[in-house]
Amino acid sequence: MLALFILVLFQLINSGCIASPATLVSQSLGESDVESGVVESPLGVFEVQAPLRTSYDGASCQQVVLQHTFAASYGTLYIGTYAPPKDCEFTTTIFNLSVTSSGINYDRLGLIFFGDTEIWRTTTAMPVRTGIFWNYQKDMTIYDTLLRSDQKVIMSLDNLYDSVFTGAYNVTITALYYNDPQTVTPADLILPISTQSSAQNESSVISLPDSNANVSFTLPRNSKRAVVSVLASGNGAEEFWYRNVPTEFTSTFNNTVLYGYSPFREVQVLIDGELAGVGWPFPVIFTGGISPGLWVPIVGVHTYDLPSFEVDISPWLGILCDGKPHSFEVKVVGYDSRTVFGTVGSNWWVSGAIFVWKDEGGNQTTGTTIQSISSEPSFQLMPRITGSTNSSTNTSFEVHLSAQRTLSHTSIITTSSGSQNLTWSQTLSYSSINNYTALGFNKTISALTNGTSTFSPSLDDASPIRSTFSYPITFHTASLTPTDATTANSTIVASLDRSLLSSSIPILSYLTSPFKLPTVLATRQTGNSVYYWNDTYYEFAGAIDPAMGTYGATEQWFSSLGKVGAYGRHVKAVDGYEPVLVLNQEYNSPIDVPDTKLAGIAEVLL
Ligand SMILES: *[C@@H]1O[C@H](CO)[C@@H](O)[C@H](O)[C@H]1NC(C)=O
Ligand SMILES: *[C@@H]1O[C@H](CO)[C@@H](O)[C@H](O)[C@H]1NC(C)=O
Ligand SMILES: *[C@@H]1O[C@H](CO)[C@@H](O)[C@H](O)[C@H]1NC(C)=O
Ligand SMILES: *[C@@H]1O[C@H](CO)[C@@H](O)[C@H](O)[C@H]1NC(C)=O
Ligand SMILES: *[C@@H]1O[C@H](CO)[C@@H](O)[C@H](O)[C@H]1NC(C)=O
Ligand SMILES: *[C@@H]1O[C@H](CO)[C@@H](O)[C@H](O)[C@H]1NC(C)=O
Ligand SMILES: *[C@@H]1O[C@H](CO)[C@@H](O)[C@H](O)[C@H]1NC(C)=O
Ligand SMILES: *[C@@H]1O[C@H](CO)[C@@H](O)[C@H](O)[C@H]1NC(C)=O
Ligand SMILES: *[C@@H]1O[C@H](CO)[C@@H](O)[C@H](O)[C@H]1NC(C)=O
Ligand SMILES: *[C@@H]1O[C@H](CO)[C@@H](O)[C@H](O)[C@H]1NC(C)=O
Ligand SMILES: *[C@@H]1O[C@H](CO)[C@@H](O)[C@H](O)[C@H]1NC(C)=O
Ligand SMILES: *[C@@H]1O[C@H](CO)[C@@H](O)[C@H](O)[C@H]1NC(C)=O
């Protein structure tokens, strides 16, 4: 990955796109601040992200899309309206999400819809009494067609607000519109894969496996490209699906610390019941996840912008353009030792959208028979239980699970503009070693998910466009819950090392605007924490409240190279009596990102 990064960097430097050598652009906290242990108030709890533009100045116009305080909002939605800006020329739209909170609360999931289509899924940081805030920017240009018409805006952020949970979330989203010198060819239609409930003032998210995510649409007969985008996140028993065990082992320790359906998940996109493509989900860790002590003031990768995945369904257009309805379904499956695939626990929240581009000519699109490879993945399972199941605290359970999948669909698609060989292919690999010790109360989880995908370029381009990704993660947690919570606090001891490495050209942004170089990203987070809470007072009381005596330290390396150029950041935070940034450096060049160490098992995985 690093080699590829350097290669692309080298090409960009040679083509004069970016400056070299590495330059330190800012260091926002000096030595003296660190030594005096300054706690900013309110505390900025941030997700490291590369700037989306060289400067956010120079917007043609801007407007507030949503401004709402979510207090006792459990089951109550924000409903508002969006109108496109008047007398404003724009090609590019960026949303700036800004949130403030003070008090005590858990992390909460927020879903933002334009009508029936989910456009952003986020989670919140956990507040402190002295207040927190964060801002996050997201490029919304792929939704251009929605942004140019009136929309009902629906946001859910289920929050408890009472004498114990005193943190409300004040959310503002501002749209910034820019008129950039570039051609934008947004999708003509965006069709929601959702419950389509906005007319009833309800959220359109689908909960799996309790419900089903099957919708039917008739595509325009002259469609020339179609891409499905899917958002899927695990909650409840599925929040940490990657530390679950195959279902036959959930009773190993005769307690409830293990959840089932295996640590493997696949999110599938099916057309008329046939598998079109898959996503092997990135493990987003919310701010209460693994240990809340890890996420102050640096939150996890993708915490404020849960990632979607894309499947190019253009090879299916010969079938989809016949003027008849076709079904589009999203499923979430886990490994099942008996049937390869099976159901999962409760619950996954999913929604998706089909982005459709029409050919200028009105003729019906036709296609040759789709050439497909989509056999089920191969799985290897190796469980090992040691000790008896109900006696000694040394009893442990180690399980290795790995999987590989190859999938591709190819067809010659003909429109009024000509014929093109359109292909979508994916190669994915997964490998995990999970070790449950101390009757399952100690867990050491290691997993590597990586893969490549390929889609066909637009007519004027040559070779297929390839993206790669890799997300190794390893963490250890030990939880101690006392028998009498009035005399002893609960404890979580945690350590984590995880990365996200990718070199990608997202299909939707490629088809919407012409930038054709991959965005290369490498980021790694490491951390450790000891975290206490009083179970009888209220769980996670003062989760990140200095008075609790929690300890945490998190370090992050971030290096990216893309449309805007190069960006590097290296930050290190200590969340103890007073949260401080002990290191905070930004660079206008890529930086070295050391590899995640998969806890001494790399030789088994690789
Ligand atoms: C986003 O909004 C916050 C709060 O208003 C503001 O401080 C920040 O400068 C904004 N960011 C951008 C890029 O406009
Ligand atoms: C929420 O934030 C906005 C923008 O900063 C502010 O104008 C408003 O007064 C806040 N609302 C509450 C209830 O604090
Ligand atoms: C939906 O909410 C809007 C704004 O609160 C309201 O005007 C409208 O009557 C509601 N529609 C339904 C079907 O409840
Ligand atoms: C499991 O725990 C329950 C409740 O503590 C106990 O009744 C049962 O005998 C245990 N089963 C085994 C196999 O240890
Ligand atoms: C989804 O639709 C397809 C095609 O109509 C149908 O075969 C399938 O049974 C449906 N699935 C569910 C869960 O309704
Ligand atoms: C469109 O279809 C008409 C009728 O079949 C045909 O005559 C014409 O050649 C087609 N145009 C193109 C550009 O394929
Ligand atoms: C279409 O593209 C695929 C993938 O690049 C290739 O394997 C196949 O040979 C091509 N088919 C034709 C007819 O060109
Ligand atoms: C899992 O834990 C057991 C018991 O502590 C230990 O013997 C074993 O080496 C561990 N396995 C791995 C892969 O770390
Ligand atoms: C559980 O983990 C804790 C913290 O890492 C460690 O001190 C303890 O020895 C572990 N217990 C077992 C049985 O492995
Ligand atoms: C995953 O990574 C391993 C180790 O770098 C590599 O050998 C393998 O080809 C990758 N698999 C995919 C599908 O990219
Ligand atoms: C937890 O809080 C309750 C209520 O304030 C108190 O009675 C109890 O002693 C506390 N437990 C510990 C371990 O401090
Ligand atoms: C439990 O945590 C509370 C809150 O930080 C603290 O006041 C109390 O002393 C702790 N109790 C014990 C027994 O450690």
Side-chain angles (χ1 to χ4, degrees):
M1 196 61 225
L2 192 62
L4 178 61
F5 194 92
I6 289 165
L7 176 68
V8 174
L9 169 64
F10 185 72
Q11 286 164 346
L12 283 190
I13 291 171
N14 278 1
S15 64
C17 285
I18 60 163
S20 74
T23 323
L24 185 65
V25 290
S26 77
Q27 178 156 6
S28 47
L29 279 181
E31 280 302 310
S32 56
D33 287 334
V34 174
E35 278 162 19
S36 59
V38 166
V39 183
E40 305 163 58
S41 186
L43 182 70
V45 181
F46 60 95
E47 178 176 334
V48 174
Q49 71 169 150
L52 304 178
R53 310 174 61 78
T54 327
S55 164
Y56 290 101
D57 294 342
S60 310
C61 57
Q62 64 176 63
Q63 63 171 334
V64 173
V65 172
L66 178 161
Q67 207 291 296
H68 186 68
T69 297
F70 292 86
S73 57
Y74 206 93
T76 308
L77 303 168
Y78 164 84
I79 312 271
T81 53
Y82 167 91
K86 292 197 175 63
D87 305 319
C88 179
E89 295 279 309
F90 66 95
T91 56
T92 307
T93 307
I94 286 171
F95 277 10
N96 180 20
L97 168 73
S98 162
V99 185
T100 59
S101 182
S102 60
I104 294 301
N105 225 316
Y106 285 108
D107 51 323
R108 306 291 182 188
L109 194 60
L111 283 69
I112 303 155
F113 288 85
F114 267 18
D116 297 330
T117 305
E118 189 175 355
I119 56 168
W120 193 338
R121 187 176 296 184
T122 187
T123 62
T124 67
M126 293 165 77
V128 291
R129 293 185 179 89
T130 48
I132 60 166
F133 75 94
W134 68 92
N135 304 316
Y136 192 91
Q137 290 82 42
K138 183 176 168 84
D139 192 322
M140 304 300 288
T141 308
I142 61 166
Y143 295 106
D144 188 273
T145 176
L146 300 180
L147 294 163
R148 289 180 199 273
S149 55
D150 288 349
Q151 300 290 338
K152 184 183 276 189
V153 180
I154 298 183
M155 179 168 180
S156 68
L157 195 155
D158 285 340
N159 192 35
L160 295 181
Y161 187 70
D162 53 27
S163 58
V164 170
F165 299 106
T166 56
Y169 294 97
N170 185 351
V171 179
T172 306
I173 296 176
T174 307
L176 305 165
Y177 303 90
Y178 298 89
N179 200 19
D180 292 324
Q182 65 173 26
T183 334
V184 177
T185 51
D188 297 297
L189 282 176
I190 299 176
L191 306 168
I193 303 177
S194 71
T195 60
Q196 300 169 19
S197 305
S198 66
Q200 291 82 53
N201 284 352
E202 284 168 14
S203 160
S204 294
V205 72
I206 303 169
S207 175
L208 297 179
D210 330 302
S211 180
N212 75 70
N214 209 6
V215 296
S216 175
F217 283 111
T218 303
L219 262 51
R221 286 179 184 261
N222 60 332
S223 304
K224 65 173 180 187
R225 284 305 282 249
V227 175
V228 173
S229 166
V230 175
L231 267 164
S233 59
N235 306 281
E238 294 282 311
E239 180 176 342
F240 302 101
W241 79 87
Y242 40 94
R243 70 180 186 198
N244 293 11
V245 298
T247 304
E248 61 269 38
F249 298 107
T250 50
S251 305
T252 302
F253 304 119
N254 194 27
N255 59 34
T256 55
V257 298
L258 302 182
Y259 287 121
Y261 309 104
S262 92
F264 171 85
R265 293 290 176 274
E266 177 173 272
V267 184
Q268 304 182 326
V269 174
L270 301 104
I271 298 177
D272 296 333
E274 304 284 326
L275 189 69
V278 300
W280 287 9
F282 175 77
V284 177
I285 305 167
F286 306 142
T287 55
I290 296 186
S291 169
L294 293 169
W295 308 120
V296 190
I298 306 171
V299 305
V301 178
H302 278 308
T303 293
Y304 294 148
D305 182 18
L306 274 65
S308 51
F309 73 89
E310 301 174 326
V311 174
D312 191 350
I313 59 165
S314 303
W316 298 75
L317 287 174
I319 295 166
L320 296 174
C321 293
D322 63 359
K324 297 186 182 127
H326 292 275
S327 87
F328 298 85
E329 182 168 11
V330 176
K331 279 187 179 171
V332 181
V333 293
Y335 167 71
D336 182 310
S337 322
R338 287 159 298 124
T339 60
V340 176
F341 280 134
T343 186
V344 294
S346 258
N347 62 347
W348 280 77
W349 279 17
V350 305
S351 79
I354 311 163
F355 290 69
V356 181
W357 281 259
K358 291 191 286 190
D359 185 56
E360 296 70 28
N363 281 17
Q364 178 171 329
T365 301
T366 56
T368 56
T369 307
I370 305 175
Q371 304 297 311
S372 298
I373 301 170
S374 69
S375 52
E376 289 190 326
S378 52
F379 285 98
Q380 302 82 42
L381 174 71
M382 198 181 86
R384 185 158 65 211
I385 299 172
T386 47
S388 64
T389 53
N390 63 353
S391 55
S392 108
T393 51
N394 290 327
T395 297
S396 71
F397 173 48
E398 185 181 321
V399 59
H400 300 210
L401 179 64
S402 52
Q404 303 81 36
R405 180 194 264 292
T406 301
L407 174 152
S408 78
H409 298 293
T410 304
S411 173
I412 312 276
I413 297 297
T414 303
T415 66
S416 307
S417 316
S419 290
Q420 198 191 355
N421 180 9
L422 294 178
T423 186
W424 167 246
S425 71
Q426 294 180 273
T427 306
L428 295 141
S429 137
Y430 164 84
S431 196
S432 66
I433 296 183
N434 290 352
N435 209 5
Y436 310 85
T437 54
L439 288 174
F441 290 101
N442 279 15
K443 301 183 176 72
T444 304
I445 306 298
S446 295
L448 174 65
T449 309
N450 67 333
T452 62
S453 62
T454 309
F455 68 95
S456 302
S458 314
L459 272 178
D460 55 337
D461 291 301
S463 50
I465 294 170
R466 189 164 176 269
S467 296
T468 65
F469 73 87
S470 169
Y471 24 88
I473 182 168
T474 181
F475 62 93
H476 169 78
T477 54
S479 42
L480 267 179
T481 309
T483 39
D484 180 0
T486 58
T487 57
N489 289 319
S490 297
T491 314
I492 294 181
V493 178
S495 60
L496 166 82
D497 185 353
R498 68 102 49 112
S499 293
L500 170 58
L501 310 167
S502 66
S503 167
S504 66
I505 298 188
I507 314 167
L508 290 172
S509 62
Y510 166 85
L511 293 173
T512 304
S513 63
F515 192 74
K516 292 181 176 65
L517 279 174
T519 296
V520 182
L521 170 71
T523 188
R524 177 193 188 200
Q525 290 185 316
T526 61
N528 57 77
S529 123
V530 178
Y531 184 79
Y532 309 94
W533 76 95
N534 178 335
D535 237 352
T536 56
Y537 181 27
Y538 46 88
E539 198 185 355
F540 292 127
I544 47 179
D545 192 325
M548 280 295 279
T550 60
Y551 171 81
T554 299
E555 182 166 10
Q556 181 168 5
W557 296 260
F558 185 101
S559 184
S560 77
L561 188 58
K563 198 172 187 169
V564 186
Y567 179 75
R569 191 158 178 199
H570 186 194
V571 280
K572 188 170 183 177
V574 175
D575 164 26
Y577 183 69
E578 294 173 316
V580 286
L581 286 179
V582 292
L583 181 72
N584 185 14
Q585 294 176 321
E586 265 187 313
Y587 303 84
N588 59 11
S589 67
I591 61 166
D592 246 348
V593 176
D595 288 338
T596 281
K597 293 181 182 50
L598 286 174
I601 53 160
E603 61 283 357
V604 185
L605 290 180
L606 303 177

